[in-house]
Amino acid sequence: MYYAGMRPAEVRNLRVTDLCLPSSGWGTATLSGSAPDVGGDWTDDGGQYETRGLKHRAEGTVRIVPLPPVLVAILRAPTG
């Protein structure tokens, strides 16, 4: 979130398939929705999160976020 300026709810909805992580240089994240923490009392299914569109954008639109090289390197690093 720090490197890319994304909202917590956008990051929660982010999937690996939404990322373009080249071997070097800048990458991108294609944000298509968010999952804000609204609490179980406020959702139809009693879940903690509610899937929504992006804040201040029409339903179905995406936001392309540039990912700086340092974040691309972090995301490409092996986990373990």
Side-chain angles (χ1 to χ4, degrees), residues 4-80:
M6 292 187 261
R7 295 179 176 93
E10 293 171 335
V11 173
R12 192 175 295 118
N13 199 57
L14 192 62
R15 304 293 176 257
V16 173
T17 56
D18 299 331
L19 301 173
C20 176
L21 303 173
S23 58
S24 65
W26 287 75
T28 60
T30 303
L31 305 177
S32 60
S34 68
D37 183 354
V38 294
D41 293 339
W42 303 103
T43 60
D44 293 334
D45 63 1
Q48 186 71 20
Y49 306 105
E50 182 176 70
T51 303
R52 299 180 181 171
L54 295 173
K55 191 172 185 179
H56 304 296
R57 287 183 169 70
E59 192 67 35
T61 60
V62 298
R63 179 165 80 100
I64 307 297
V65 177
L67 304 177
V70 65
L71 179 56
V72 170
I74 291 169
L75 294 172
R76 287 182 59 86
T79 60

